[in-house]
Amino acid sequence: MKNDTALNYISKLLNQVPEDWLRLTTHRLDIYNEAAAKTDFLSQFEALFLTKDTSGLHQLPTAYDYIRLGHPLSCVLEWTIAQEVGVSADQVISFSSQTIAIMAILRKNRLDKLPTRIISRQLPDCFDIDRLKNVYDYDFEWLQTNHPESLSPFEGSTIWVEQPDNIAHFESYPNVDFAINFRPVMGSILLMQSKDSTAYVSAIQHVRRRETIAMTPVNCLAVLQEMVGQSAPNEYKAAYAQNKALVQQTLRDITHTTADPLLASSGLSIQYAIMMGLIDEAMQQHPGKAIRFIVPTNCYGGTNDQARRVAACLDPVRIVDLAVDGGSDMVSSLEPVLDQLALEDAIPYIIAEIPTNPRVEVPDMQSLLNTLAKPRQTADGKTAVQAVFILDQTFCPNLNMLGEGALLSDVPSIAYASGSKFPSAGKCTAGYCVANNKAANLLQTIERHLLLCDNAATLHQMAILAEQLPSMLERIEGAYQNTREFVNFIGETLPEANINFVSEELAAQGFTPSVFSMDLPTKGATDAEREAYKRQLNLKLINMMIQAIPQESKFCVSYGQPKGCYWTVPATSTQGTTKEGDKDYIVRVSVSPELDFEKHKQVFNDFVRSL
């Protein structure tokens, strides 16, 4: 295929970009083939390209389940660059971060025990060599040169890092395995040049899935526009400082905290900064001690997976499993774990969702506080290091958990949330974290790692948060009221279903999620038959809803949306990396402040009559 032919097609395509390519943060799982992520989208995209057709763009399948991992415009950008340089599209990967493209290679080589050589005229300003070596335990050498064409061979990986005027233009140099172009604000693009480097595709994609995000849709569009000679104005830069100030003040008001909140490119981006920042802090304050992250066994798959990936790279870090719901009480499970870690003189960090996902359970908060605040001693009688509680508050970001006199104000606590849910009303992927007064000192170290990874919220994301956050509390209240009504209706219509939702008493305390889950009634002679029937019934209900109400019901893993109703089975989506025995094959429903309730009730009645 000729390069100019591809660029001509892209030039035509840019005038017809589907609106969803720019505005969606999660996609329909019923048109998503996870086994063929990106390739399914690109194969059909190339079919359009070969016929010079742009009218079918809106009918292309979902590229990735979350746009933070990848999306139509990142796929098109990577494909276009691949056409330019003559490689397969999977050899080009774009990042919203300037540095994590480099770190993804360093991570794989750290695990494979391979040396890495980084060559550049300059590195991104945020690239912290000392921390990458001493905290992340990455092994590499950096050589500064203006003559990459004269590089000698190297037994390991050679990365050429460049800040060209055109971020999409790559030069080819001998003895270079990976070329990375970066640009402040925009991010970076990685090109795998050598044959051996293609073995890194999966590992690098997984870093993008768990520790950062793909280059955002608006920035991918800007790069594509530059490639075809169109203007790409940045309309968000001028208002960035004003937007950030508004967002931080709004979050302080909502969370009743005083320290400046940190804003990240996604929920997992802020979680990664929290984990690495706390590890850094532990290494500084308690050198040589073991570091333990206590993680619920069935929590969100990204949380579970990321935590284990961090531990895999760092010898002092281990994961301790914590049973939290579905018959296991968080406090009862946590008490012996903290006692044992105290005896081992380890540094305990606890990651937990409240309410839990997908069972929507809330522990006894006073008992939890007592357990966290309880003084403990090491085996030799010294005072053990107090745990830091890291709260994933994505389900209930409206609840005051950290403010003075609040539920978790007296123990070191950090709360974070995915902005793709309630904070942005599903309009961007940004995330944030706040800390109470007892943990506020930790934010400085966490921010260092947020900046090192170049995972701060983008200009466009900040603009969206500034627009949406002020209405978040109102939207949460409306969504909760609709959820309560739906739960009550289902309880009356199908009393055999086991519905997981907060009680009226918990709601009065401020726990007002808009997500519930349910075990549908099943039948069969054996446990296997009953489980198989239930799973079939789950999909039957979901399919009936999205087929009867396609304008509102969607097979989707998200929640916090302003309209409609989202349906999913957590075991196959949000719990995707959790151990099989800890997964929940139940229906999870996410309700919004605005939907056609009568239609949803009618379809559910039809479902019940079909049983």
Side-chain angles (χ1 to χ4, degrees):
M1 299 178 190
K2 293 183 179 180
N3 296 340
D4 59 348
T5 302
L7 288 178
N8 287 339
Y9 180 72
I10 295 301
S11 181
K12 181 181 177 184
L13 174 152
L14 292 180
N15 296 321
Q16 302 179 53
V17 171
E19 183 183 352
D20 282 354
W21 286 18
L22 282 168
R23 70 176 183 86
L24 283 187
T25 56
T26 51
H27 297 280
R28 284 173 47 192
L29 294 181
D30 54 321
I31 57 169
Y32 171 62
N33 180 5
E34 187 170 14
K38 185 177 179 179
T39 57
D40 195 26
F41 172 88
L42 281 182
S43 63
Q44 296 190 42
F45 172 79
E46 286 192 329
L48 294 178
F49 165 74
L50 290 174
T51 60
K52 304 298 180 283
D53 178 19
T54 57
S55 63
L57 295 173
H58 66 285
Q59 295 178 337
L60 293 175
T62 295
Y64 292 99
D65 52 351
Y66 279 104
I67 71 144
R68 59 172 171 73
L69 169 61
H71 47 86
L73 282 168
S74 69
C75 292
V76 171
L77 172 61
E78 292 156 4
W79 176 87
T80 306
I81 293 173
Q83 295 297 307
E84 289 280 284
V85 297
V87 300
S88 171
D90 63 1
Q91 291 176 241
V92 184
I93 303 177
S94 65
F95 294 80
S96 183
S97 163
Q98 299 171 81
T99 55
I100 290 194
I102 306 171
M103 294 167 64
I105 301 164
L106 292 174
R107 183 184 189 279
K108 178 167 172 56
N109 284 354
R110 157 71 175 78
L111 295 172
D112 292 346
K113 297 181 171 55
L114 293 174
T116 308
R117 177 176 66 169
I118 302 173
I119 313 292
S120 66
R121 296 184 178 91
Q122 67 178 109
L123 288 169
D125 292 341
C126 53
F127 195 81
D128 189 331
I129 291 176
D130 289 340
R131 276 193 166 77
L132 286 170
K133 289 186 175 184
N134 297 325
V135 179
Y136 294 75
D137 199 25
Y138 292 153
D139 179 24
F140 62 95
E141 60 175 308
W142 174 49
L143 300 176
Q144 192 171 23
T145 182
N146 288 320
H147 302 286
E149 69 280 355
S150 57
L151 290 175
S152 59
F154 179 72
E155 290 297 323
S157 297
T158 295
I159 308 172
W160 167 247
V161 182
E162 176 81 299
Q163 186 180 356
D165 292 335
N166 181 353
I167 192 175
H169 177 71
F170 287 87
E171 296 285 354
S172 180
Y173 299 112
N175 299 314
V176 168
D177 301 297
F178 304 92
I180 297 174
N181 288 348
F182 71 91
R183 182 189 295 178
V185 178
M186 191 75 72
S188 60
I189 302 173
L190 181 152
L191 169 64
M192 303 178 205
Q193 292 186 316
S194 72
K195 292 181 180 179
D196 292 341
S197 68
T198 57
Y200 286 69
V201 171
S202 178
I204 292 172
Q205 287 281 16
H206 206 79
V207 168
R208 192 171 76 170
R209 182 180 191 92
R210 291 301 184 224
E211 283 85 48
T212 188
I213 64 170
M215 185 178 288
T216 61
V218 293
N219 284 341
C220 285
L221 179 63
V223 175
L224 286 165
Q225 288 170 330
E226 289 181 8
M227 291 182 74
V228 299
Q230 298 180 11
S231 62
N234 189 338
E235 57 190 293
Y236 307 105
K237 187 174 183 180
Y240 175 75
Q242 179 181 351
N243 288 334
K244 182 177 180 181
L246 172 62
V247 168
Q248 289 186 317
Q249 185 57 54
T250 305
L251 286 173
R252 282 193 294 268
D253 292 342
I254 291 171
T255 61
H256 299 268
T257 54
T258 57
D260 283 343
L262 301 179
L263 287 307
S265 60
S266 72
L268 283 177
S269 294
I270 196 63
Q271 181 185 282
Y272 191 49
I274 292 169
M275 289 195 71
M276 297 312 302
L278 292 180
I279 289 169
D280 192 351
E281 185 76 11
M283 289 178 172
Q284 292 180 48
Q285 301 300 321
H286 309 284
K289 289 191 177 183
I291 301 169
R292 298 292 181 260
F293 281 91
I294 304 166
V295 181
T297 53
N298 69 339
C299 71
Y300 169 55
T303 296
N304 210 312
D305 192 31
Q306 185 191 101
R308 294 172 198 281
R309 287 164 57 77
V310 169
C313 289
L314 298 170
D315 293 336
V317 182
R318 294 287 184 275
I319 303 301
V320 178
D321 289 335
L322 182 70
V324 298
D325 67 6
S328 298
D329 175 69
M330 181 185 295
V331 179
S332 299
S333 299
L334 185 58
E335 182 79 29
V337 169
L338 290 179
D339 287 344
Q340 180 60 39
L341 294 184
L343 291 174
E344 296 172 7
D345 197 16
I347 313 300
Y349 298 122
I350 306 158
I351 301 176
E353 297 168 304
I354 300 177
T356 59
N357 175 31
R359 295 284 173 178
V360 203
E361 295 182 355
V362 177
D364 183 299
M365 294 303 296
Q366 186 58 53
S367 297
L368 176 61
L369 176 60
N370 294 341
T371 294
L372 294 172
K374 177 182 174 181
R376 291 177 171 83
Q377 292 187 322
T378 64
D380 57 3
K382 295 180 180 178
T383 300
V385 176
Q386 187 176 16
V388 175
F389 193 72
I390 308 162
L391 171 64
D392 182 347
Q393 204 175 342
T394 305
F395 274 113
C396 286
N398 57 314
L399 183 59
N400 176 13
M401 298 281 268
L402 305 187
E404 197 64 34
L407 296 169
L408 295 173
S409 62
D410 292 333
V411 292
S413 301
I414 296 166
Y416 70 103
S418 168
S420 66
K421 313 303 188 296
F422 293 110
S424 77
K427 295 180 184 296
C428 74
T429 64
Y432 65 83
C433 83
V434 295
N436 66 6
N437 291 337
K438 290 187 176 292
N441 63 301
L442 299 172
L443 289 178
Q444 185 176 3
T445 308
I446 293 170
E447 185 175 26
R448 287 197 195 104
H449 289 268
L450 182 65
L451 297 178
L452 185 161
C453 296
D454 194 30
N455 268 342
T458 68
L459 306 181
H460 181 225
Q461 289 175 333
M462 200 70 77
I464 291 175
L465 289 176
E467 179 184 51
Q468 297 297 324
L469 261 177
S471 66
M472 183 176 78
L473 297 182
E474 181 181 351
R475 285 185 277 111
I476 289 175
E477 174 61 22
Y480 165 74
Q481 294 297 338
N482 282 345
T483 309
R484 175 63 68 187
E485 183 178 345
F486 205 180
V487 165
N488 290 343
F489 169 77
I490 293 174
E492 295 169 0
T493 309
L494 187 62
E496 301 91 339
N498 179 31
I499 302 175
N500 305 290
F501 193 53
V502 293
S503 65
E504 297 277 8
E505 291 75 19
L506 283 171
Q509 297 174 31
F511 291 98
T512 55
S514 60
V515 174
F516 69 95
S517 62
M518 54 184 166
D519 294 271
L520 294 171
T522 188
K523 58 186 178 182
T526 65
D527 287 343
E529 287 180 2
R530 286 187 287 272
E531 180 65 21
Y533 181 83
K534 184 186 75 171
R535 295 187 188 187
Q536 183 182 22
L537 214 55
N538 291 341
L539 295 178
K540 178 180 179 179
L541 171 60
I542 292 173
N543 288 328
M544 284 183 68
M545 285 291 181
I546 63 177
Q547 288 167 12
I549 326 173
Q551 71 278 12
E552 288 196 6
S553 276
K554 180 176 173 182
F555 200 163
C556 181
V557 303
S558 193
Y559 46 94
Q561 72 278 11
K563 296 182 179 181
C565 194
Y566 289 172
W567 304 77
T568 193
V569 177
T572 58
S573 54
T574 58
Q575 292 181 305
T577 56
T578 302
K579 291 182 229 175
E580 185 61 32
D582 294 318
K583 294 181 181 181
D584 280 300
Y585 286 89
I586 58 180
V587 174
R588 196 189 77 186
V589 190
S590 307
V591 184
S592 73
E594 183 179 333
L595 75 163
D596 184 344
F597 240 129
E598 293 309 311
K599 184 64 175 177
H600 282 77
K601 291 177 181 178
Q602 176 190 329
V603 176
F604 193 83
N605 271 323
D606 292 342
F607 168 74
V608 172
R609 283 193 291 268
S610 73
L611 297 180

